[in-house]
Every structure is written in structure tokens, then in C-alpha cells.
Amino acid sequence: MKTKKISGGHMLMEAFLKEGVDLIFGYPGGAIMPVYDSLYHYRKKIRHILVRHEQGAAHAAEGYARMTGKPGVCLATSGPGATNLVTGITDALMDSVPIVCITGQVTAHLVGTDAFQEADVIGITTPITKWNYQVTRASEIGEIIPKAFAIAQSGRPGPVVIDITKNAQAEIAEYLYRPYTAKKLYPKIEEQKKQIKALAILLNKAKRPYILIGHGVQIAHAENEVRKLVEKGGFPAAATLHGLSSFPTNHPLYAGMLGMHGNYGPNVLTNKADVLVSLGMRFDDRVTGRVKDYATKAAIIHIDIDPSEHNKIVKETISIAGDVKEVLQKLIPMIKKNTHRKWLSQFRACDKIEYEKAIKPEMAPTTSHIKMTEVIDLLSKKTKGEAVIVADVGQHQMMAARYYKFTKQKSFVTSGGLGTMGFALPASIGVKLASPKREVIAVIGDGSFQMTIQELATITQEKLPVKIVLLNNNYLGMVRQWQELFFDKRYSFVDLDNPDFVAVAKGFRIKGLKVEKRSQLSKAIDTMLSSKTAYLLEVHVEKEGNVFPMMPTGASVEEIRLE
């Protein structure tokens, strides 16, 4: 095989091109400078987005990966550059998002000497990556980079970190690209025929079947298969936070959202189901509540590609380790056409209870203060449920999840497992670059916004028409809610003395508008949506509003509170 001699930095660019990379998020520095010098020569083939903080690079890469299914790529220098990626890397691990992070490192002979801007990147990131590796010779790059991309995408996706010493980036050596195929860590579909047949028998006999849609459905591109399964069997289906938008909210068989702030019926009726089928979800504590009292009458079937997730939280009747799409393609022909009207009517009855006790009070303009629900509901109607909502973490996140009526697939991006405040603004950059033709709206709270507010500069520099809905209650709202309900209203350090956010946005050359009166809201949303450029809509909302339903920590799914 013919080879050529090039620098390690050029090898990295060549390997990127082989892997289909045309977009990178990063921030340069001393120990990654040879790579950036190479990137200069490839700038017509690979677009680089200069973020304002390395955490922003990781979250932007996540947003890109969530929309495309391809690994997002970010670059950072050694020491603080690398450690600033850690939050985003951990977030990607928790939410099964494929990202490949390239970090610069001091010259190989200085590793371990506490050299300037040296950090033990391998040691730091070992617990939060699927795989990491330190490259010390240029000749390794043609083999290691393909392996990094393969591992990031294979099985349950996740983050990979490749730490490249400065000498390896600059060294001239022969470049040989070596493709890598990751090993499948789960059985072949043919080996699971017995389990799939047993599942079909259970579902066909079930009186109260229940389908739970997790993030794995989107990862496997199995949305259409889920719909076919649900419609054929007449099964009620609910979604986790990350499962939202994988099933249309206006479908007659859609039951709602699971979890701590999910809908009433999907939670309380878990304990009446006789067959519960979990698709690509991991039985997170926010969904199960008190585990010993979860799905007490149901045969639990868990379909998940990660074998380590099976029987980890709940005792499963049938465990199927595999790709959700492949499994459902085998299962659907075995399912008998059916309806479960009586069972479904119980969900609708719960909907009425929730509407009267939680939704109606939230939607009613009983005070002069605008409520978060009003903003999200109006936003949903004006966009016909077709926008991509990128939510940060807190009360606004739960309100967006509850009240935006998703009608298109891949329309909800948020930080779930790690619950990272500051996620939405940089993630919306990656989402918009991945889906330039879709309306991308970041829904953010005033606390979260200030954690990564510097990425407004990235939005301006890249001319990205990201829309930002800032729900400002001058509080760390979710923490305050817990302090109100469980700490006798001892509001300990949650009151925020905020800046003039519209003026701040103007400083970044981003148009904005502040809304304080209900009469202004509708027109203001229209103005934001019609903008051809980035836009900040700051809405002052009810200061001490709460999110209900709510399942207290340690409670069972049946103990969810409506008020």
C-alpha cells in the first residue's frame, strides 16, 4: 500500500476526512497548535467553529451528534483546555451521545513532570469515556482515529478522548489509515428469536400492555417501527424525557411523559400494567421512583443495546440485548392486531384529573405575572410543534417537555442524566449547524443562561439564526421549588440579581426584546420567529411558580403529587 510522509497534524485532518468529518468545535492553545496549523490548510474542507469556552465545544458537539447521529468532534489544548471539556464529556456519557474529543498534550518526554499546562487527561477521563488513548507518535494516528470513531458510534454510543502529545502532532512520518470495526458486545438478532417470540406471546395475551419509549429509539432510528408496533397492538405508549418527539404527542395512543415531572397517568398506571415493554431506556431513578414499588404487577421486558443495563435496576422477565430497530422489525410481524380501549380509557381518565388539578391552574392567567406554561404553549402553537426545542436544566426544561406538543421527530434536545445547567446555548449551536433548515429554539432559565452566556459571541460570529427564549423568574427556580416544598421555604442562596439580558445580547450584536406583560407576549413571539438572525426573547415569568405533577425523592410512581 502506497503511503505518504506528512505531519501528525495533517494525519489527523486526513483521518477526519476519511471519517466524514466536515465540522469541528474547538478552542486553540499552545499544546494543540500544530493541529491548528494543519487545520489552517484544510479550512476549505473542514469548518471550524470557534467557541468561547471548551465546555461549549463539547455541548455543541453533543447537539450536532444528537441531530445527525454522527460523532460530534471537538478540539482543545492541554491542561485547562482539556479539563474544561470534562462536564460535556460526562454529559455525553450519561446521555449516550457519540463525541470524539481531541486534546493536545505536552511533549512526550515532559509527560508526568508537571510541565506547564499539563494534566493527566487519560486519568481524568477514564471514568467518563467509552475509551481513551494517549498518542505519543505520529505513526499511531492513522490507526487510533478510526478506532475512536468506531467506538464512539458502536453499540451504546458515547464519548471518546484522544490525547495527542505535541511532538506527535508535529512529527513527520508515514501516514497509513487503518479502518477499524468495533466488536458487537450484544448477541446477534438470530440468537434472540426465543426471547422475541416470548415477548410477542406476552403482548398478544396482555390485558393492560404498556410501551415505554426511551432515548434508544431515537439513537436506533426506530421511531417508525415503534409507531407500527403501537398502532398494530393498540398499545398505550409513554416517553421518557429523552424519548420525547420519538412519538407524536397528538397520536391517540400517546399517553404522555414519564418521570418525576411527567404526566399523571403514565406514572400512576405503571403499577396497573400487566406487561411493560421498555424500549431503549435504563430505568433511571427519575422514572422508577421507589424501585421496590415500581411496576409491581407487570412482566417487565427490557430491550436495550447495552447488556450492562439489563437487570441493573429492576428484575426483568425478559431481557433482550440488541438494537431496538432490529428487534422491533422481528417482533412486529408476530403481533396480533388489537385494541385496548378499556385500558386506554384509564389513561384518558387520568388526563382529566391532571388537567383539572395541575394543567388548568397552570394555564389560567389568574395573576398579572406571565406563567412559563403560557409561553411554551403559545410557542408550540405558533410553530405547530415542528421546531427543535433545545432545553436547559430546571423548571423551564420541565415546562418545555410538558407543554410543547412535538409533531416531528428529533425535536427535543436536553441534558438528561447529568442535568447540566448551561447546556442549551452551546448545544443549540451544534443543533442549528446540523439542521440549518429547521427552526431551533433554545429554552433557557436565567440561572442556566449565565453559565455559558459567552457563547452568544459564537452565535454572532457564525451568523447562526438561533432563537433564545429566556424564562426569567430571578431565581434558581427548581432548587427554590424544592426548598419551598421540603425545606419549609428556607430559600438558601437561590435569589438572582440578574443583569439586563437584552442589553447584554445587544452587546453581542444580537437583537432582543423584554416582555413583562401578557398582552405583549403573542406579538413578541411572532417578532422572534420572523427574525432572520439570532434573537433573544426575555420573558419575565411568575417568580414562585412550581412544576406539577411532581414525584418526591424516594416516593413511588403512585405517590406523584398533582399540587
Side-chain angles (χ1 to χ4, degrees), residues 155-167:
R156 179 180 180 175
V160 170
V161 169
I162 304 300
D163 192 45
I164 309 179
T165 59
K166 195 170 183 179
N167 61 288

Side-chain angles (χ1 to χ4, degrees), residues 8 11 135 137-143 168 171 173-176 178:
M11 289 182 193
V135 172
R137 302 187 315 275
S139 58
E140 297 177 278
I141 291 173
E143 178 180 0
E171 181 186 355
E174 287 191 345
Y175 170 64
L176 180 61
R178 299 179 181 86

Side-chain angles (χ1 to χ4, degrees), residues 225-276:
E225 283 75 14
V226 170
R227 186 165 179 164
K228 288 177 184 176
L229 171 70
V230 168
E231 290 178 344
K232 189 174 184 183
F235 307 131
T240 65
L241 185 68
H242 278 322
L244 292 174
S245 80
S246 292
F247 197 85
T249 56
N250 58 3
H251 195 285
L253 292 170
Y254 182 65
M257 184 175 77
L258 297 162
M260 180 175 282
H261 291 288
N263 295 109
Y264 183 58
N267 282 296
V268 297
L269 293 178
T270 301
N271 283 4
K272 289 192 176 181
D274 58 2
V275 176
L276 184 148

Side-chain angles (χ1 to χ4, degrees), residues 362 367 369-372 473 540-546:
E362 270 297 327
T367 69
H369 299 292
I370 301 170
K371 296 183 178 182
M372 290 187 187
N473 58 9
H540 281 246
V541 295
E542 186 179 21
K543 193 168 172 64
E544 294 189 37
N546 289 330

